Amino acid sequence: MAQHHDISPDISVVVIVYNDAERLPTAVRSVLGQTLQNVEVIIADDHSTDGSYEVAQQLASHSTRVRAIQLAENSGGCGEPRNQGVAIARGRYVMFLDSDDTLEVNACRNMLLAAERTGADLVSGLCLRVHTDSRLGKSARWYPWLYRHTRTYESIAEIPDLLVFDTLSTNKCYRREFLTENKLTFPRGIHYEDLLFSARAYLAASRITLIPNTVYYWNVVEKTEAKSISNRRHEINNFADRVEIHRRIDRILGEEGRDELKLHKDVKFLKHDLVLYLRELPFLDNEYRHRFAEMARGYIDTFAEEAYAGLSPIQRLCAYLLRCEDWDHLMPAIDTLINKTKVSSPLLERDGRVYWCAEHLDDPLGRTVLDVTDLGYHAKPVQRLNLRNTVTRYAENPAGVTLAGSLVNPLGVIARGARLSAELEFRARRKSLQSFRFAVQTVRHEGESVSWQATVPLADKLRPVGLVDDVWDVRMHLTVDGERTASRLTVGRTGLEGAGEVRVRPRLSRMMADRIVPHASANGHLAFRLAQHGRLARRTSAFVLENLHSPPARMAKKIVRKVASVRRNLNSGPRKIATFERMVRVLPIRKGTVVFESHLGKQYSDSPRAVYEELRRRGVPMKAVWSYAGSRPVGFPADVKLVQRWSWPYLRALAQAEFWIDNQGFPLKLSKRPETTYIQTWHGSALKRMGFDEPKYRIMPEHEQRAYQQAIDRFDHFVVRGEHDERTLARAYRIPEEKLLRTGYPRNDALVRARDSAPPAPATQELAERLGIRRDRPVVLYAPTFRTQDDGKVRKFEFPFDVEKFAQRFGDRYTLLIRTHYLNDVALPPSVAGRVVNVSEEPDIAPALLLSDVLITDYSSVMFDYALLQRPMVFYTYDWDSYVENSRGTYFDLKEQAPGPVVATEDELFAVLADLTALTSGCKEGLEQFRTKYGEYDRGDAAARIVDRFFGPGGRVR
C-alpha cells in the first residue's frame, strides 16, 4: 500500500527513545519495512543527551512517514513520551515500540486485518524475547499459551489470564478513538506504567482479539552493567513503584466490582512480582530488607486468604516468613524458591508431619503454611536430595583458597555413623570443556549440619584455557556410605566479603588472564570468572579482544561455530532419524539380538520383562538389550546390557535387532526393517477409548493420521488377552486379525499361577521383607490411574481420601499399599509409617498385586489384571462425571459392569472396607464373570507360548 499525503495512516507507531541513538534507526527501519506500508512513525524523544533526537530528526528528513518530537524535559519513564506520541498520531490505530526493540515484518498487517475483521478495540499478538548477547540465539515466547489460536473475547472477564500475565503495551494494536474516548493514557512519574495502562485498556475494551502471530521482538541484554528499570530490583523505590501501580489497579477493580479479577491478579503478584524481589534479598543489607518487608506486608496483608491457595508450598512459605520478618528461615526458603529441587532447611518432624522449622507452629496459619510434608523430602534417600550447602568461610592464600561450609542435614538423612568423604569440582560453565577436582580435607557432623573445609590449590592445579572458559562453577560431591550426592555452594551478601583475586595458570598465556575472581551467580551460587591483572595483561587482553573482530579472527570463530553447529546437528532429532534410516539400509541384521523396552524406557517391568526372564530361564542364546530413559538406569538387573533411549547405541541396536519387544511404542518416527520382528505386548486392556477411537485422533489432519498409522503398522504381532481387546484395542489401532497374538499378557502369568494356589513368588516375599509389610494382616492396595488438566498435562496426584484418617481407623487391622500411576508420584506423611506403604517406585507392580488381598482402584486397567486373582475390588469413582466428560470417553459403563462395589465418597469407601469378609463374599460371582469376559486368554503360559513360537526349535533365534 503506497501512502498519500491526503490519506490517514492505517497505523501510527509511537517509538520512544532515551539516550539510545545507536539502536534507534534499527527500530524505525523495522516499522518502515512493514509489509503494510500505510504506516507512520512518531519518534518521541524523552529529552536525550546523547544525540538521539538529532538521529530522530535525520530519520524524519529521509522519510515523509517519520515525524520526531522531543519532550521539554526528561520524564524519567516510558509513559509520558508515549502519551505525547499518541496526542499527535493520525492513524486509525496506534502501536508502541521501544527504541531497543523491533517489530516483526508482518506485525502491522496482521494486527490491522484482525482488528478490522473482528471489530476489536484491542488486538494482541505474540511477543518474542530475544537474548541478543546469547551465543546460541536464545529466545523465549512471552506467555505462549495465550496465543495458540486466534480468539476474540467480549470481555476481559472471559480470559483473566490476559490481564494477569500479559501486561505489555508494546505487543498490541489499539483503535485510536478507543484510547481517546476512554481517556487512556500512561501514568506520569512512576515506573511499571505498562501494568496500569494495560489493565485499564483490558477493562475498557468491548472486544479483544488475540492472534498467534509473532508481532514484537523484545531484545534483552543480560550481560550489561547498566540494568533496565525493571531489573533494578535492588532499589527500594523500584518496589515502591510496583506496589503503587498495583494499588491503583486494585482501586479500579474495586470500583468496577471485579473481585474475581482481583483475586487472579493477587495470586500472580504473590507468584511472580513478589518472587522477583525475594530473589534479591540474600544479597541486600538489613535496612533494605526491613523496608521491603514493611512495604510488602502492608500490601499483601490486604489479600484474601484464597490468594494463598493458588501458590506452591514454597511460595506460600516465603510470603508467610516475609510477613513475620523471620530472616533466619526465610533466606533458606528463598534458596529453595530460586533452586526448586533444593532442600534448604533441617526440617522438623512433629505429630507425624514434616515442618520447615519449629517456629510459628503455635499460629494456626503458620502451622498450615510450614507443613511441607507433601513435598516428600522425608521420603528421599540422600543420593536423591539436592542439599543447601552454605559457604561459611572464604579465605585466599598464595596457593589458592580455603573454603568451609555447612551442609543442611534434613531429618538426619546423613546418619551420624555414616562414612563421609567429599571433593570439590571446578567446572567451566561452557559445556564440553574441562573440569578439575580437589579433595575436601575435613567432613564431619556438627549439630544438625555437616560441616566441611578444604584448601584448594588453584594456583597450581586450575588450568583454564582463557577467553572460552571465562566462568567456572563449583560443586561439592559428598559420598555417604558409598552413595553420592552433589550440591552447589550457596553464598549471600556477606559470603565473599573481602574476596580478591586468585592467581591461576591459564593454558594459553598469563598475558590473557592470570587471575580468577569469586562472585555469586544469578541463583546465589559460588562461581569464579577470569580476570586480568596488571597493565600489560590488560593491554594484551584488550589487543586480543580487539583483534577478535579482525578477518582472521572472524574466520576462526566461524570455523568454531561451524564445528559447534555440526555437533549440535549430529545430535538433533532429524539427524538421528535420518542416520537411523541409513543404518537400516546398510548395516546387517544381528541374529539373536532382541531389544526390550517397557513404558518408554522408564522401567524394567511388565510383559517385556516376563518374556525376557522366560528366555533367560530357558537359557536361549540371544543378545538382549534393554533401553532406559533418563540420565541413569534405576531398577534394572546388574548383568543386563543397557542403552539410553534415543542415544546412538540405542538407534544402532534397534537398526540391527532381529526382534523388538515393548509394551507401549518405540519412537514413532523410527521405521522398522522387514527382517525385524516387532512384538507389541501392550500395557493393559482398555476402559478409556484408545487410538483412533479418541476424539483427538479423529480430528487429526490426514497426513498426521497417516504418519500415526504407519507407526502402528510396524507391529508384526499384537498381544491381546480376550475378545474385549480385539473389539477395542485392535480396532482402535486398526490392527488386522492375522497380527493378533491370543496368548494373554506375559506379565499376568504370575497372577494366574497365584490364583491356582501356586506358592508365593520370591519377589512377593522379598518385597514384604524389604518394606516391612506384616503378613499377618490383610493388605489393601490403592492403585489409581492419572488425571489430566485442561491443558492436557498430567495433574499432580492428590489423595481423594484422608490417608491419615484411613491409618487411624484401619491401621491396626490392615496395611495399605499406595501405587500411583508411573506418571505420578506421592509422598506419605510420617504419621502413617508402618500402616501405609508407598510402593509407587517399585519397578514392577506384580509383586504388589500378589501381596494384596483387596484392590482399590478407579478407572485403571489394573482392574482387568487383578480380576485374575479372584480377589475383591472396590471402585472409588469419586469424580466419575467429570472424568467421563473431560476424558476421551469409555468403552463401557463401569458402574454397570464393575465386579465389586462402586463408591463415590470417603465414607462409602471406609464403610465397604470395614468388613472384608462381606466384601469378599459379595464379589465372588461378579469377579468370575469379569475375568471370563475380559481375560479369557490369560492362562498362565503367555510368556512360554511367545518364546515357543518365536525362539523355540522352529523360531529364528535357534
Side-chain angles (χ1 to χ4, degrees):
M1 298 180 186
Q3 178 177 337
H4 303 285
H5 293 294
D6 58 342
I7 299 177
S8 296
D10 289 319
I11 298 178
S12 297
V13 180
V14 177
V15 182
I16 62 169
V17 62
Y18 175 70
N19 286 353
D20 197 18
E22 185 178 348
R23 290 180 292 192
L24 176 61
T26 302
V28 172
R29 281 195 295 271
S30 79
V31 183
L32 297 179
Q34 288 288 300
T35 54
L36 178 71
Q37 286 290 291
N38 192 21
V39 176
E40 74 165 349
V41 180
I42 299 170
I43 305 173
D45 178 74
D46 198 12
H47 206 80
S48 297
T49 59
D50 73 334
S52 291
Y53 184 56
E54 287 73 19
V55 172
Q57 288 177 311
Q58 290 174 11
L59 292 167
S61 69
H62 287 97
S63 174
T64 58
R65 294 195 289 149
V66 180
R67 288 184 287 160
I69 61 173
Q70 185 179 45
L71 275 64
E73 59 182 10
N74 180 253
S75 69
C78 301
E80 187 57 20
R82 289 176 182 153
N83 291 338
Q84 297 292 335
V86 173
I88 66 168
R90 296 184 296 115
R92 292 185 296 124
Y93 294 87
V94 174
M95 293 174 61
F96 300 110
L97 175 64
D98 293 348
S99 61
D100 53 347
D101 300 330
T102 55
L103 294 181
E104 195 274 338
V105 67
N106 297 300
C108 291
R109 179 180 296 279
N110 288 332
M111 293 283 216
L112 179 65
L113 290 175
E116 293 187 330
R117 186 179 66 253
T118 64
D121 293 325
L122 184 160
V123 178
S124 189
L126 187 65
C127 172
L128 191 70
R129 281 171 57 96
V130 180
H131 296 260
T132 56
D133 54 352
S134 167
R135 294 181 298 111
L136 302 176
K138 177 183 173 185
S139 64
R141 294 179 296 168
W142 188 251
Y143 299 113
W145 79 83
L146 294 170
Y147 297 99
R148 291 194 180 117
H149 312 287
T150 297
R151 297 178 290 176
T152 298
Y153 300 93
E154 303 299 322
S155 166
I156 189 63
E158 297 178 32
I159 182 169
D161 277 355
L162 191 62
L163 171 77
V164 169
F165 292 102
D166 188 357
T167 56
L168 300 178
S169 65
T170 48
N171 60 333
K172 297 171 178 62
C173 180
Y174 312 85
R175 190 166 56 82
R176 185 162 62 89
E177 288 183 0
F178 162 72
L179 296 180
T180 56
E181 289 169 359
N182 290 279
K183 299 179 181 178
L184 292 175
T185 58
F186 290 87
R188 299 170 177 82
I190 189 169
H191 298 317
Y192 303 108
E193 62 287 319
D194 267 20
L195 275 68
L196 181 58
F197 179 85
S198 295
R200 292 183 61 204
Y202 285 142
L203 291 166
S206 59
R207 184 167 294 171
I208 300 168
T209 294
L210 308 184
I211 61 175
N213 312 78
T214 298
V215 298
Y216 196 87
Y217 295 122
W218 178 359
N219 296 320
V220 181
V221 181
E222 292 183 331
K223 300 170 186 174
T224 177
E225 293 295 324
K227 293 188 175 182
S228 64
I229 291 171
S230 60
N231 284 324
R232 296 175 194 163
R233 292 187 283 272
H234 60 288
E235 300 174 1
I236 194 64
N237 289 337
N238 185 285
F239 183 62
D241 280 358
R242 189 182 286 263
V243 169
E244 174 57 26
I245 286 290
H246 274 272
R247 287 187 184 277
R248 294 185 191 185
I249 296 172
D250 292 345
R251 283 197 291 272
I252 296 170
L253 294 173
E255 291 167 1
E256 297 192 11
R258 304 290 191 105
D259 293 344
E260 189 64 29
L261 287 176
K262 184 181 184 304
L263 178 61
H264 277 83
K265 188 198 69 65
D266 290 347
V267 172
K268 189 257 187 177
F269 182 89
L270 292 168
K271 293 178 72 169
H272 175 72
D273 300 65
L274 184 65
V275 168
L276 291 175
Y277 293 86
L278 289 175
R279 294 174 65 99
E280 305 291 329
L281 285 187
F283 310 102
L284 299 171
D285 59 36
N286 291 333
E287 181 183 355
Y288 177 97
R289 291 177 183 177
H290 176 67
R291 291 182 63 193
F292 173 79
E294 197 172 41
M295 201 176 296
R297 185 168 56 244
Y299 182 51
I300 65 178
D301 277 353
T302 67
F303 291 4
E305 287 296 326
E306 292 90 333
Y308 294 92
L311 307 185
S312 72
I314 296 299
Q315 290 168 344
R316 194 159 49 242
L317 179 67
C318 287
Y320 178 83
L321 293 172
L322 176 66
R323 291 167 70 183
C324 299
E325 284 202 57
D326 184 347
W327 305 112
D328 289 342
H329 297 104
L330 175 58
M331 290 302 124
I334 291 174
D335 197 5
T336 295
L337 185 70
I338 298 171
N339 304 281
K340 297 185 187 307
T341 63
K342 187 181 289 187
V343 186
S344 300
S345 169
L347 306 178
L348 168 77
E349 184 182 330
R350 180 175 294 179
D351 302 325
R353 305 294 294 179
V354 176
Y355 297 94
W356 188 259
C357 58
E359 287 73 11
H360 317 295
L361 295 184
D362 54 343
D363 173 14
L365 176 61
R367 194 175 187 88
T368 299
V369 170
L370 294 168
D371 188 335
V372 292
T373 309
D374 291 344
L375 294 178
Y377 297 145
H378 61 284
K380 294 180 180 178
V382 68
Q383 64 268 25
R384 290 182 53 200
L385 290 173
N386 175 13
L387 303 175
R388 175 176 164 93
N389 195 346
T390 308
V391 173
T392 57
R393 183 186 175 208
Y394 177 93
E396 291 151 4
N397 55 66
V401 297
T402 295
L403 282 166
S406 178
L407 193 75
V408 72
N409 186 17
L411 301 175
V413 67
I414 305 173
R416 286 201 167 270
R419 292 174 284 107
L420 304 179
S421 62
E423 58 183 3
L424 291 174
E425 178 190 37
F426 285 65
R427 177 180 289 276
R429 185 168 294 176
R430 289 192 181 177
K431 293 181 180 179
S432 303
L433 294 177
Q434 53 188 343
S435 66
F436 299 89
R437 297 200 176 200
F438 305 91
V440 173
Q441 288 84 24
T442 305
V443 190
R444 65 175 185 274
H445 279 85
E446 192 170 300
E448 290 186 323
S449 306
V450 172
S451 65
W452 57 271
Q453 181 169 315
T455 297
V456 185
L458 297 178
D460 296 326
K461 303 295 185 181
L462 187 67
R463 302 294 309 278
V465 175
L467 283 181
V468 295
D469 53 358
D470 54 333
V471 180
W472 292 75
D473 294 312
V474 188
R475 290 176 176 81
M476 191 175 90
H477 298 272
L478 176 70
T479 302
V480 182
D481 286 337
E483 298 290 350
R484 293 170 63 85
T485 182
S487 58
R488 300 288 297 273
L489 306 188
T490 298
V491 289
R493 184 176 65 88
T494 58
L496 299 176
E497 278 187 348
E501 300 174 338
V502 181
R503 292 179 61 90
V504 292
R505 293 192 304 147
R507 296 186 186 278
L508 288 181
S509 167
R510 288 189 184 275
M511 303 306 294
M512 278 307 305
D514 60 350
R515 301 287 195 278
I516 58 172
V517 180
H519 71 281
S521 71
N523 281 10
H525 297 138
L526 178 64
F528 290 84
R529 59 173 174 265
L530 293 180
Q532 296 79 37
H533 182 74
R535 184 179 301 173
L536 180 59
R538 284 193 289 273
R539 282 181 180 174
T540 304
S541 177
F543 173 77
V544 172
L545 291 171
E546 239 175 66
N547 282 275
L548 284 176
H549 302 290
S550 66
R554 282 199 297 270
M555 179 60 71
K557 285 191 287 186
K558 186 176 181 180
I559 293 171
V560 170
R561 289 187 185 121
K562 182 68 175 175
V563 170
S565 175
V566 168
R567 182 182 297 170
R568 287 195 301 273
N569 183 43
L570 283 173
N571 286 292
S572 68
R575 175 52 63 94
K576 283 187 171 181
I577 292 169
T579 306
F580 176 83
E581 299 297 333
R582 181 169 174 78
M583 287 180 183
V584 168
R585 290 194 304 270
V586 303
L587 293 180
I589 199 163
R590 297 173 64 187
K591 291 291 184 181
T593 299
V594 188
V595 178
F596 294 90
E597 185 170 285
S598 179
H599 293 304
L600 309 179
K602 294 183 176 70
Q603 297 175 351
Y604 171 70
S605 66
D606 213 76
S607 292
R609 172 177 178 171
V611 174
Y612 167 74
E613 292 182 349
E614 178 67 12
L615 288 165
R616 286 286 301 271
R617 187 185 68 79
R618 296 191 187 189
V620 173
M622 61 170 175
K623 303 181 184 71
V625 179
W626 273 87
S627 88
Y628 70 92
S631 57
R632 64 189 185 95
V634 177
F636 291 83
D639 59 346
V640 164
K641 180 178 180 181
L642 298 170
V643 291
Q644 188 176 27
R645 202 168 195 266
W646 269 114
S647 66
W648 287 112
Y650 173 80
L651 296 176
R652 178 160 186 163
L654 285 175
Q656 295 190 272
E658 187 178 7
F659 288 92
W660 293 0
I661 300 179
D662 91 311
N663 67 351
Q664 199 155 339
F666 288 106
L668 299 181
K669 293 185 178 180
L670 300 183
S671 60
K672 182 188 72 68
R673 67 198 304 165
E675 306 96 314
T676 299
T677 298
Y678 189 168
I679 303 173
Q680 173 56 258
T681 66
W682 205 240
H683 53 276
S685 297
L687 169 64
K688 296 171 286 189
R689 293 191 178 275
M690 306 289 286
F692 288 104
D693 288 345
E694 294 184 54
K696 70 176 182 179
Y697 286 108
R698 288 201 298 268
I699 64 173
M700 187 184 287
E702 188 176 342
H703 71 279
E704 292 184 18
Q705 288 197 31
R706 280 198 306 271
Y708 187 54
Q709 186 64 60
Q710 286 172 0
I712 294 169
D713 288 344
R714 297 177 302 171
F715 302 162
D716 294 298
H717 303 280
F718 187 87
V719 174
V720 292
R721 53 192 304 266
E723 289 186 10
H724 173 72
D725 287 358
E726 296 180 35
R727 293 192 308 270
T728 56
L729 292 173
R731 288 181 185 176
Y733 290 110
R734 301 172 182 172
I735 297 170
E737 186 172 345
E738 62 269 18
K739 289 188 176 183
L740 300 181
L741 280 180
R742 295 178 174 87
T743 60
Y745 287 163
R747 73 182 188 192
N748 288 341
D749 290 346
L751 304 183
V752 175
R753 288 195 294 268
R755 181 193 69 206
D756 295 338
S757 301
T764 306
Q765 297 178 353
E766 187 274 334
L767 177 69
E769 292 173 4
R770 176 161 49 84
L771 298 181
I773 298 171
R774 294 180 56 166
R775 303 306 305 274
D776 60 339
R777 293 179 178 176
V779 174
V780 179
L781 172 64
Y782 178 49
T785 190
F786 66 95
R787 306 297 195 274
T788 55
Q789 302 173 154
D790 293 340
D791 59 4
K793 294 181 179 177
V794 175
R795 190 190 308 167
K796 180 184 176 184
F797 174 79
E798 295 179 353
F799 274 104
F801 61 88
D802 190 330
V803 69
E804 291 181 286
K805 188 184 293 185
F806 181 99
Q808 290 168 3
R809 180 167 176 178
F810 299 112
D812 59 345
R813 297 167 57 191
Y814 315 144
T815 299
L816 177 65
L817 306 184
I818 306 296
R819 172 77 179 197
T820 59
H821 191 276
Y822 70 87
L823 295 175
N824 290 134
D825 53 33
V826 64
L828 296 173
S831 60
V832 302
R835 296 173 292 174
V836 184
V837 181
N838 183 15
V839 294
S840 300
E841 295 190 9
E842 295 297 316
D844 199 349
I845 192 176
L849 295 177
L850 292 167
L851 191 60
S852 63
D853 299 285
V854 180
L855 172 70
I856 306 170
T857 188
D858 44 21
Y859 323 107
S860 171
S861 65
V862 73
M863 69 176 79
F864 301 105
D865 302 322
Y866 197 75
L868 296 172
L869 290 168
Q870 295 292 279
R871 298 174 189 172
M873 286 188 275
V874 181
F875 296 84
Y876 187 29
T877 58
Y878 59 93
D879 59 348
W880 171 261
D881 292 336
S882 62
Y883 185 85
V884 173
E885 180 182 342
N886 298 326
S887 70
R888 50 198 185 230
T890 60
Y891 285 114
F892 61 86
D893 189 336
L894 180 62
K895 291 184 177 180
E896 293 181 0
Q897 298 194 33
V902 180
V903 297
T905 68
E906 178 184 281
D907 289 342
E908 291 175 346
L909 174 66
F910 288 1
V912 168
L913 295 173
D915 189 345
L916 292 190
T917 302
L919 174 63
T920 302
S921 62
C923 288
K924 281 185 178 178
E925 184 177 348
L927 282 169
E928 179 60 31
Q929 293 174 355
F930 197 79
R931 180 191 66 81
T932 303
K933 184 172 185 177
Y934 295 106
E936 65 263 41
Y937 301 156
D938 281 315
R939 305 184 187 110
D941 61 352
R945 291 171 67 188
I946 289 173
V947 170
D948 285 342
R949 175 166 175 177
F950 298 102
F951 303 91
R956 281 177 285 175
V957 168
R958 290 187 184 275

